[in-house]
Amino acid sequence: MSYLESLRVFVRVVELGSITSGGRDLRLSPAVASNRIKDLENRFGVRLLNRTTRKLTPTEIGRAFYDHARRVIDTLEEAEAMVSTFSSRPQGVIRLTAPLGLGRRLIAPLIPGFCAENPGVEFRLRLSDRNVNIVEDAIDLAFFLGEPADSALKWRKIAEAPRVLVASPDYLRAHGTPRTPEDLTGHNCLLLRYPRSPEFYWSLQTEDGPRKMMVTGKFDTDDGDVLTGWALSGEGIANRPRYEVAPDLKSGRLVEILPDTPPVPAQFGCLTPHRRLQDPKVRMFADYAVRELKKVF
């Protein structure tokens, strides 16, 4: 088993690019993770990783070994999934990811209830508004807002999530209220962006169909909750999922803008890697989450 655990460590270290990150992902200290890598190198008498102060990369033999080790781990996980189909007690770890706001409000609250019914299951929840590489990060289930483009992943739609343009009353008093999509020009539009993101636009629903509006603003961030905070403080106009700002709209802290041409709804669903046999515990949680989340929309 220690050899298999060393393989797991090596695979995650290569995928995450550092011993610290690979160890943390497996709940191991950097020292333990480093020793697992050294055990493998001593076992074969070769260097598997090139280490510098800034970067860690596999050697040529390390890259070849990684490819085989990854297949070993995948095969083992498929075997465990097959065995689990004969058990009514799911066991093991589920790795999840979701956007920050959605994950905090909708996904995280689901986990304790599922674990209460299935105490053998553990969760690793990673929240980020940036794009996540599900395959490289070994994610079992990713909740997603938007249009999935990766054909290597299985998409399961949960619902359409309406979006809304919002600003604070103070901002609108100071800068005026847009009456048409064209009026957005010149306003400080608060943008959700991340490194290497494409040219930015908002898609609005019009009588002639979806219309792309190029928008600009002084502030951008990769955290949706920061956008909402800026809008609440009167800094500009934000494009947010309605469920996230519903309490602020109800209280009057935010005002809906252009209600006749709202943003195109986001597709809300979950993504899983294509596998010959899906792990039953992942399928069970996906079914549970979809059932609960449909109540929200």
Side-chain angles (χ1 to χ4, degrees), residues 110-215:
L110 297 177
I111 291 175
F114 184 83
C115 282
E117 297 177 4
N118 303 278
V121 176
E122 300 179 13
F123 281 87
R124 308 285 187 271
L125 176 60
R126 303 292 179 260
L127 303 182
S128 175
D129 280 330
R130 298 191 180 196
N131 287 339
V132 175
N133 190 312
I134 295 171
V135 176
E136 288 186 5
D137 291 345
I139 298 296
D140 297 307
L141 188 64
F143 291 90
F144 186 86
L145 274 175
E147 294 291 340
D150 194 336
S151 61
L153 302 172
K154 295 173 64 176
W155 167 250
R156 181 174 178 179
K157 182 178 177 180
I158 297 173
E160 287 194 344
R163 302 185 70 89
V164 60
L165 299 183
V166 296
S168 72
D170 287 344
Y171 177 85
L172 298 176
R173 280 192 291 269
H175 301 279
T177 300
R179 302 299 179 186
T180 68
E182 291 78 11
D183 292 341
L184 292 172
T185 302
H187 278 275
N188 190 35
C189 295
L190 307 170
L191 308 179
L192 182 68
R193 306 188 79 167
Y194 48 88
R196 297 176 297 280
S197 61
E199 188 174 18
F200 204 87
Y201 61 88
W202 286 345
S203 290
L204 304 184
Q205 301 178 74
T206 71
E207 293 180 352
D208 300 321
R211 180 179 178 186
K212 290 183 178 180
M213 298 297 302
M214 306 306 298
V215 292

Side-chain angles (χ1 to χ4, degrees), residues 89-106:
R89 294 174 296 177
Q91 304 283 329
V93 174
I94 299 177
R95 290 181 169 84
L96 302 177
T97 187
L100 286 165
L102 185 151
R104 292 190 187 112
R105 293 175 178 84
L106 301 182

